[in-house]
Amino acid sequence: MGRMASPSSSALLAAAVLLLASLLLLARADDPYRFYTWNITFGDIYPLGVKQEGILINGQFPGPQIDAVTNDNIIVNVFNNLPVPFLLSWQGIQQRRSSWQDGVYGTNCPIPPGGNFTYNMQFKDQIGSYYYFPSLLFHKAAGGYGGIRVLSRPRIPVPFDPPAGDFTILAGDWFKLNHTDLKGILDSGNDLPFPDGLLINGQGWNGNRFTVDQGKTYRFRVSNVGIATSVNIRIQGHSMLLVEVEGSHSMQSTFTSIDIHLGQSYSFLVTADQPPADYSIIVSTRFTTPVLTTNAILHYSNANGAATVPPPPAPTIEIDFSLNQARSIRWNLTASGPRPNPQGSYHYGLVNTTRTIRLANSRATINGKLRYAVNSISFIPADTPLKVADFYNIPGVFTLGSMPDNPTGGGAYLQTSVMAANMREYVEVIFENAENFVQSWHIDGYAFWVVGMDGGQWTPASRQGYNLRDAIARYTLQVYPQSWTAIYMPLDNVGMWNVRSESWARQYLGQQFYLRVYSPANSWRDENPIPKNALLCGRASGRRTRPL
């Protein structure tokens, strides 16, 4: 019998290349790419019956919705056809290892008029309800926002049956003044006037209709995209089963109304179990005088008229209702998150914190003008994005550690404030609110556990009341008047991250800072390299990104 010839080196190489190509194809199949091309323009809009200059995306207000699945790669090519610079940010999308894609001025150079920038993001290990918005100037008051829906992978169990439909509600306050006028009011040293109304998906009263079939259950994803006020949502004749809070499956509690503070997102299930009719979906402001209200229609496909049941009453103006509701929201420890393991498998309450940070908000007058501050520092933007300056080691742009860990008690002053932090620290952050205004805070790049909230002054003894078992993990928190809220957060995402008030006037006038999470390894394992297409500006103008 003849001897079989041994394979040649070229054949082995060809086989290796084929295997590698197959693996790459499998990887791409697991994490598909979704491509979007968006043209940003000004256009006439009439959300409250008054002509205004709105920001449109592909001619739409609100902008197109992004529908994705966990770990999808999202490529958004943004063409700025405005006469001013522009940026988009992605509320709640963690941008793992890539603050380069965050889309706020502390990390990104703006897209110049007539220019474009391609965001290259992966929705890594996330599920749930999010949204995007314009982050520069006062553009958030002009529209330019849209919903983001991240579904679980097909093989990952979800703790409720697939709904018959999935609706997005982008609700929030609105002003009849153009965004440039509102910005001018703030620039002149004054506060914003009271909002003129509320919108649901860019429309006023009865501007939206959500059609359902009797007997079926539907998912509603609701985000507060406003700039000034908390809102409450309720549905005539129907209860709402809360199932998800900002990327975390919650314990399934039934509510007749839900408070949604600035920047927050919730998902609830509604079963069309009433007689066929048209029912009101009511949104109203919270803790305001007067109370603004708008509504949309929950339309049964076999409806024969308007519902006769009375509309649900608005919640009381007391803080206690909202505080107790917030405390009742719990994490579903038995549900899978983005991966096929229970959300509660990471026992956050059994890990010792390595650092305590206390952040106190305040209102101040600096140089005769209204400002807002954190730990007595009112943030001012630098001439170069902080992330860019950090990457190129450009001196004089910011000072690490310029944001202290505790309130100073001193007078407010202007500073480009950056807090220094190290990778893998596990921090306790207490937000302290001595004002008579509900605060709402967001931290880019992270989710965190809201372990406690209460009235009065926080003290170390307050830790005895922390929920260290099933606190909800989320990306935006509220702090009630004369109260505090505490979170636990693992610093596992290297980058330069914005910590900001979601009250947009407060954010614009200084109630924000940046958290620089640092890894000395300087490895692509911890942080992606600067994108080849990164825009460079300020003191970084004319530099190269990377030669790859």
Side-chain angles (χ1 to χ4, degrees), residues 86-93 95 101-104 107-108 119 121 131-136 144 146 148 442 444 498 500 504:
F86 183 78
L87 276 175
L88 283 173
S89 191
W90 318 88
Q91 184 88 347
I93 299 301
Q95 310 291 3
Q101 307 297 328
D102 200 31
V104 292
T107 60
N108 295 93
Y119 291 89
M121 304 173 283
Y131 66 91
Y132 60 86
F133 67 94
S135 62
L136 274 188
I148 301 174
H442 176 83
D444 280 353
N498 190 219
R500 63 175 176 267
W504 219 240

Side-chain angles (χ1 to χ4, degrees), residues 5 41 51 121 134 206 219 223 236 245 255 290 310 335-336 345 390 400 412 435 456 467-468 472 508:
T41 59
K51 180 180 175 180
M121 304 173 283
N206 284 350
R219 182 172 183 170
S223 297
Q236 182 183 15
V245 177
F255 294 92
S336 293
S345 61
D390 196 31
L400 269 179
E435 297 184 69
N467 176 4
L468 300 182
I472 199 75
Y508 183 79

Side-chain angles (χ1 to χ4, degrees), residues 31 71-74 93 95-96 120-124:
D31 300 330
N71 290 352
D72 279 0
N73 296 283
I74 307 299
I93 299 301
Q95 310 291 3
R96 303 297 300 179
N120 189 339
M121 304 173 283
Q122 186 180 29
F123 290 177
K124 181 69 175 171

Side-chain angles (χ1 to χ4, degrees), residues 329-364:
I329 296 172
R330 292 287 192 266
W331 211 18
N332 186 341
L333 300 184
T334 62
S336 293
R339 296 174 179 270
N341 57 297
Q343 293 181 136
S345 61
Y346 179 77
H347 299 293
Y348 70 91
L350 300 179
V351 180
N352 292 327
T353 56
T354 58
R355 179 178 177 184
T356 295
I357 300 167
R358 294 170 51 215
L359 302 174
N361 53 266
S362 61
R363 178 185 173 113

Side-chain angles (χ1 to χ4, degrees), residues 133-153:
F133 67 94
S135 62
L136 274 188
L137 305 175
F138 214 63
H139 285 161
K140 195 177 182 186
Y145 54 73
I148 301 174
R149 180 169 54 190
V150 186
L151 303 177
S152 296
R153 286 182 161 190

Side-chain angles (χ1 to χ4, degrees), residues 131-179:
Y131 66 91
Y132 60 86
F133 67 94
S135 62
L136 274 188
L137 305 175
F138 214 63
H139 285 161
K140 195 177 182 186
Y145 54 73
I148 301 174
R149 180 169 54 190
V150 186
L151 303 177
S152 296
R153 286 182 161 190
R155 295 179 183 176
I156 306 300
V158 174
F160 49 87
D161 292 334
D166 194 326
F167 299 117
T168 294
I169 290 180
L170 304 173
D173 50 55
W174 194 260
F175 295 78
K176 291 181 179 178
L177 288 175
N178 278 331
H179 64 100

